[in-house]
């Protein structure tokens, strides 16, 4: 491993970017107050026709997928013994933990009766997919908290507790993989009950599996993106060997995703729908091009594989493509002729604020806890 340019002790918490985040958080806080004073009806453009708007599409469907890098990297390190990825395991876990925390905060704001958020945890509805998702996300968030806890214990020098927690590393990793499989796929299962509403281009009996495969791809891409951006923000060297490995893993996963998509379309006979000129067909083609075909080509080019800019661009395509996929499925399942939706200012402000909150929390953890590679080496 090459020496890093700068240790985290040299990093100052407040920067120009941090101040911008504080402003965004302030605006989001005002929007949250507005939402609770005037209710969902007054603060959002949600309706009975479109009950799942920007918050569900971005904060839940996309947010959960983007946080999938946590279980993907820990599985690679602790189950498949790919030790070279261990330096990014803790940042990936932190990203996932913050991501799921933001998802739950977004859900709390989105539900009509926020004070009843605990109902699904005690009033079980065994036949509901939503019940499974809520339980799995809650449990997995706790698993992520325990997986990240060693960083806190190292900081506080609680070596006794640290040894006890490390003893449970493998059970926690396995629990994280199982819980992730369940809720990532269940998010796709939401739409299995609406075959008449969702275009057959997206609707498929294997939607749960497609959600899971695409979550792995975007999770790895997100870890690459986060590694590059944080290295630049904290003035560190890029870990090219790890980035190339992540790119290879993303390309293989995207290849599987695209192959399964094509086979599924052949089996269901939906290929002619690609050329019917409808809005759905145009969005579907754009989604496949942006989220799968273009990044697979980019990841296959040697100069891209060995370039930070190339890997960042490829990862961005994957991230945008999966976001596009989740938005398409969510909104095409709800919109019908005569029904339209565009998020209100409050919806946009809160979504931007949740993203800012995630970045702000990541910076706090990275600066003050042993998260980055050099910080971990000191312990």
């Amino acid at each position: 491993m090459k020496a890093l340019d700068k240790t985290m002790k040299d990093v100052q918490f407040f920067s120009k970017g941090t101040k911008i985040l504080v402003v965004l958080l302030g605006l989001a806080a005002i929007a949250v107050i507005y939402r609770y004073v005037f209710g969902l009806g007054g603060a959002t453009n949600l309706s009975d026709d479109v009950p799942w708007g920007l918050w569900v599409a971005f904060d839940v469907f996309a947010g959960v997928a983007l946080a999938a890098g946590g279980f993907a990297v820990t599985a690679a390190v602790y189950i498949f013994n790919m030790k070279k990825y261990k330096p990014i395991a803790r940042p990936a876990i932190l990203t996932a933990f913050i991501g799921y925390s933001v998802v739950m905060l977004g859900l709390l704001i989105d539900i009509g009766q926020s004070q009843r958020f605990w109902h699904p945890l005690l009033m079980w509805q065994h036949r509901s997919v939503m019940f499974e998702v809520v339980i799995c996300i809650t449990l997995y968030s706790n698993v992520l908290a325990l997986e990240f806890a060693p960083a806190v214990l190292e900081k506080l020098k609680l070596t006794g507790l640290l040894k006890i927690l490390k003893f449970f590393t493998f059970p926690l990793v396995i629990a994280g993989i199982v819980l992730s499989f369940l809720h990532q796929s269940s998010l796709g299962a939401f739409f299995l009950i609406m075959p008449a509403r969702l275009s057959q281009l997206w609707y498929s009996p294997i939607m749960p599996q497609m959600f899971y495969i695409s979550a792995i791809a975007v999770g790895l891409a997100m870890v690459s993106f986060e590694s590059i951006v944080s290295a630049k923000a904290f003035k560190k060297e890029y870990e090219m060997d790890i980035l190339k490995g992540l790119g290879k893993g993303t390309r293989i996963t995207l290849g599987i995703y695209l192959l399964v998509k094509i086979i599924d379309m052949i089996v269901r006979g939906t290929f002619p729908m690609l050329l019917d000129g409808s809005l759905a067909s145009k969005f579907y083609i754009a989604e496949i091009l942006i989220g799968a075909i273009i990044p697979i080509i980019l990841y296959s080019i040697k100069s891209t594989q060995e370039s930070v800019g190339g890997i960042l661009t490829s990862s961005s395509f994957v991230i945008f493509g999966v976001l596009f996929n989740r938005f398409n499925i969510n909104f095409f399942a709800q919109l019908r002729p005569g029904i339209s939706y565009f998020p209100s200012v409050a919806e946009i402000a809160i979504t931007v604020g949740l993203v800012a909150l995630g970045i702000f929390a990541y910076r706090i953890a990275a600066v003050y806890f042993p998260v980055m590679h050099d910080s971990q080496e000191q312990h």
Side-chain angles (χ1 to χ4, degrees):
M1 180 67 63
K2 293 180 180 179
L4 299 171
D5 292 333
K6 193 174 182 179
T7 67
M8 295 307 296
K9 290 181 179 178
D10 301 323
V11 176
Q12 290 195 348
F13 180 75
F14 279 102
S15 63
K16 186 177 179 181
T18 314
K19 293 172 184 174
I20 294 173
L21 292 176
V22 171
V23 173
L24 294 175
L25 286 171
L27 294 173
I30 294 171
V32 170
I33 293 171
Y34 186 84
R35 173 260 180 266
Y36 280 105
V37 170
F38 294 97
L40 288 176
T44 74
N45 286 335
L46 300 174
S47 63
D48 290 341
D49 293 308
V50 187
W52 289 359
L54 177 64
W55 292 340
V56 171
F58 185 84
D59 303 342
V60 179
F61 289 122
V64 168
L66 292 174
F71 84 84
V73 172
T74 52
V77 173
Y78 295 105
I79 304 300
F80 299 108
N81 202 33
M82 298 178 178
K83 296 301 182 186
K84 79 171 185 178
Y85 296 107
K86 193 169 183 178
I88 61 167
R90 192 169 285 179
I93 291 169
L94 173 62
T95 302
F97 178 53
I98 291 173
Y100 276 85
S101 300
V102 169
V103 166
M104 290 193 291
L105 182 57
L107 276 174
L108 187 67
I109 297 170
D110 184 57
I111 57 177
Q113 300 287 334
S114 300
Q115 74 277 13
R116 298 179 181 175
F117 75 92
W118 52 273
H119 280 201
L121 302 177
L122 297 182
M123 303 174 187
W124 290 16
Q125 302 295 327
H126 304 86
R127 297 181 180 179
S128 169
V129 177
M130 284 191 180
F131 166 74
E132 181 194 337
V133 171
V134 169
I135 291 296
C136 286
I137 287 180
T138 304
L139 290 175
Y140 185 49
S141 298
N142 284 282
V143 167
L144 287 168
L146 290 171
E147 287 181 329
F148 184 70
V152 179
L153 298 178
E154 286 175 13
K155 177 72 176 180
L156 300 176
K157 303 186 186 307
L158 298 174
T159 54
L161 282 176
L162 184 61
K163 287 180 181 177
I164 295 173
L165 195 55
K166 284 189 174 180
F167 180 77
F168 293 99
T169 296
F170 284 100
L172 286 172
V173 170
I174 292 171
I177 294 170
V178 173
L179 291 168
S180 294
F181 173 76
L182 290 173
H183 73 263
Q184 292 281 2
S185 56
S186 292
L187 288 173
F190 278 162
F191 299 93
L192 291 179
I193 62 174
M194 50 181 77
R197 299 286 295 271
L198 185 61
S199 167
Q200 292 300 305
L201 288 168
W202 287 286
Y203 182 84
S204 166
I206 62 169
M207 282 186 74
Q209 291 80 3
M210 299 308 294
F211 263 57
Y212 184 65
I213 298 172
S214 59
I216 295 175
V218 77
L220 294 175
M222 190 65 195
V223 173
S224 298
F225 185 90
E226 169 262 318
S227 297
I228 293 171
V229 173
S230 60
K232 184 174 179 57
F234 297 129
K235 296 182 172 53
K236 293 177 172 299
E237 284 194 8
Y238 301 109
E239 305 197 65
M240 286 305 300
D241 188 40
I242 291 176
L243 291 174
K244 284 194 284 187
L246 289 172
K248 183 179 179 182
T250 308
R251 185 188 63 189
I252 293 172
T253 311
L254 282 177
I256 295 171
Y257 175 77
L258 186 59
L259 179 62
V260 174
K261 276 261 185 191
I262 293 171
I263 293 174
D264 180 54
M265 293 186 74
I266 292 173
V267 171
R268 293 186 301 110
T270 55
F271 262 110
M273 297 180 69
L274 285 176
L275 304 176
D276 65 9
S278 65
L279 185 63
S281 68
K282 293 173 184 173
F283 275 52
Y284 185 85
I285 291 171
E287 170 193 312
I288 295 298
L289 281 173
I290 294 170
I293 295 175
I294 292 176
I296 287 174
I297 294 172
L298 288 176
Y299 278 126
S300 301
I301 299 171
K302 189 175 181 181
S303 59
T304 303
Q305 297 169 2
E306 298 176 349
S307 157
V308 172
I311 295 173
L312 184 65
T313 302
S314 306
S315 303
S316 300
F317 269 108
V318 180
I319 292 168
F320 185 78
V322 174
L323 288 177
F324 200 21
N325 169 261
R326 300 306 194 256
F327 271 62
N328 284 340
I329 291 175
N330 180 62
F331 289 114
F332 273 103
Q334 300 178 81
L335 297 179
R336 301 186 302 281
I339 304 297
S340 62
Y341 165 80
F342 191 83
S344 67
V345 174
E347 289 176 82
I348 296 172
I350 290 175
T351 296
V352 172
L354 288 172
V355 174
L357 179 63
I359 299 172
F360 192 78
Y362 186 93
R363 187 170 179 85
I364 290 176
V367 171
Y368 295 111
F369 293 93
V371 174
M372 308 305 285
H373 183 45
D374 62 326
S375 301
Q376 295 176 52
E377 283 181 334
Q378 294 168 10
H379 292 78

